[in-house]
């Protein structure tokens, strides 16, 4: 299949020597989203209205802080805090704490203030920006697998996936693929995931065994970087 513009990021990710190409795609999107947010866009009214309303998750506000554009982040957080203060002042003026019974559900009769804070704590401009594109990347993986023999070979020879992204690919396959491609995809996905999880598990075991004085003079084999690779497999964290 001739490479199209929308397939380039997927093919590029599967060409990277890593334990999860989907993590690689997500990492690239995250870096782009951080750069976009801290670039000239933060002065645009429509972008600022959105960041004022929903703010950022703890993880991404730390990433924004590391970007070093401290003035930009200060301006963004200042107007976001102004919006939050204004919204909560209005809600608090008319809200009364609800006394809940011993067996009442947590969401039962939740106050507007509680709902507002809950929504705010689970919203993030960066996450939303990433997720809008990331879902299309996952759809492209299925598309490439169905129509591109070269990609199927690349997929089958990959180092597998982290558990989170394995689950996402496994769960989404029945809606994206049909006919013979669906069971073929699932079989290949399962094989590359389990084979490579066991490979990294063995590497990690030898990494721990190397701390035994009896193995001090034995070769490290492929275990020197087993710990960060294991963190990638289990927690979707790319080695830095």
């Amino acid at each position: 299949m001739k490479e199209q513009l929308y397939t380039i990021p997927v093919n590029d990710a599967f060409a990277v020597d890593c334990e999860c190409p989907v993590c690689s795609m997500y990492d690239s999107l995250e870096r782009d989203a951080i750069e976009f947010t801290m670039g000239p866009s933060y002065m645009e009214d429509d972008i600022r209205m959105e960041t004022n309303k929903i703010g950022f998750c703890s993880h991404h506000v730390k990433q924004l802080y590391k970007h070093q554009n401290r003035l930009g982040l200060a301006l963004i957080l200042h107007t976001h805090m102004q919006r939050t203060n204004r919204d909560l002042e209005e809600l608090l003026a008319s809200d009364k704490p609800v006394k809940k019974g011993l067996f009442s559900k947590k969401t039962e009769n939740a106050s507007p203030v509680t709902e507002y804070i809950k929504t705010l704590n689970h919203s993030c401009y960066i996450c939303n920006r990433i997720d809008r594109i990331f879902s299309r990347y996952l759809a492209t993986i299925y598309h490439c697998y169905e129509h591109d023999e070269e990609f199927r070979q690349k997929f089958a020879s990959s180092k597998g996936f982290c558990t989170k992204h394995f689950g996402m690919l496994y769960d989404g396959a029945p809606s994206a693929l049909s006919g013979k491609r669906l069971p073929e995809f699932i079989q290949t996905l399962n094989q590359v995931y389990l084979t490579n999880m066991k490979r990294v598990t063995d590497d990690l075991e030898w990494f721990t065994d190397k701390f035994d004085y009896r193995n001090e003079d034995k070769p490290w084999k492929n275990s020197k970087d087993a710990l960060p690779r294991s963190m990638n497999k289990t927690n979707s964290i790319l080695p830095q």
Side-chain angles (χ1 to χ4, degrees):
M1 183 181 78
K2 184 179 179 181
E3 190 171 50
Q4 305 294 325
L5 186 62
Y6 63 90
T7 66
I8 291 175
V10 172
N11 277 303
D12 285 350
F14 275 83
V16 174
D17 182 20
C18 65
E19 296 292 349
C20 180
V22 182
C23 281
S24 180
M25 287 190 291
Y26 190 92
D27 183 66
S28 177
L29 287 174
E30 186 174 54
R31 283 185 278 106
D32 289 347
I34 296 293
E35 289 292 333
F36 176 84
T37 304
M38 288 287 87
S41 64
Y42 74 83
M43 296 301 294
E44 296 177 11
D45 290 342
D46 56 337
I47 303 297
R48 197 63 162 271
M49 285 178 63
E50 194 171 355
T51 59
N52 287 348
K53 180 180 179 181
I54 65 178
F56 306 95
C57 66
S58 298
H59 169 71
H60 284 129
V61 81
K62 289 179 182 178
Q63 297 300 313
L64 293 172
Y65 185 75
K66 290 178 181 178
H67 188 273
Q68 298 298 320
N69 183 357
R70 302 294 167 80
L71 174 59
L73 181 57
L75 291 169
I76 292 171
L77 291 182
H78 178 243
T79 51
H80 169 59
M81 293 170 73
Q82 286 181 319
R83 167 68 184 262
T84 302
N85 292 341
R86 185 171 65 251
D87 290 347
L88 280 173
E89 281 180 350
E90 293 177 0
L91 291 171
L92 288 167
S94 59
D95 189 42
K96 293 182 180 180
V98 178
K99 185 177 181 180
K100 298 181 175 62
L102 181 62
F103 301 104
S104 62
K105 297 179 180 178
K106 290 183 179 180
T107 56
E108 189 177 307
N109 299 320
S111 73
V113 171
T114 300
E115 288 300 316
Y116 177 86
I117 294 174
K118 186 184 297 183
T119 300
L120 196 62
N121 286 340
H122 291 85
S123 63
C124 175
Y125 174 78
I126 300 290
C127 288
N128 291 351
R129 184 172 179 84
I130 293 170
D131 290 345
R132 284 194 292 266
I133 305 173
F134 185 67
S135 60
R136 297 202 295 269
Y137 280 5
L138 293 179
T140 302
I141 290 175
Y142 299 123
H143 175 81
C144 289
Y145 191 91
E146 183 172 16
H147 298 286
D148 188 349
E149 172 61 29
E150 184 178 346
F151 180 80
R152 286 193 289 274
Q153 294 175 8
K154 192 182 299 184
F155 187 95
S157 61
S158 71
K159 290 186 175 180
F161 307 92
C162 68
T163 300
K164 176 183 177 180
H165 292 138
F166 162 73
M168 293 176 71
L169 290 170
Y170 187 94
D171 186 58
S175 300
L177 298 167
S178 59
K180 70 175 185 178
R181 289 293 179 226
L182 175 58
E184 177 189 314
F185 177 86
I186 293 296
Q187 181 180 0
T188 305
L189 175 66
N190 294 347
Q191 182 178 348
V192 295
Y193 170 74
L194 290 172
T195 298
N196 287 285
M197 276 291 285
K198 290 174 182 176
R199 171 181 56 80
V200 177
T201 303
D202 290 344
D203 289 345
L204 189 63
E205 181 179 17
W206 183 242
F207 177 84
T208 62
D209 288 344
K210 273 289 292 176
F211 285 84
D212 187 326
Y213 73 94
R214 292 169 295 184
N215 298 321
E216 183 178 355
D217 295 327
K218 295 181 180 178
W220 280 91
K221 302 178 185 179
N222 294 319
S223 69
K224 279 191 174 182
D225 62 345
L227 186 54
R229 289 190 289 111
S230 298
M231 292 166 63
N232 188 184
K233 290 294 191 187
T234 59
N235 293 88
S236 308
I237 300 171
L238 285 180
Q240 299 300 317

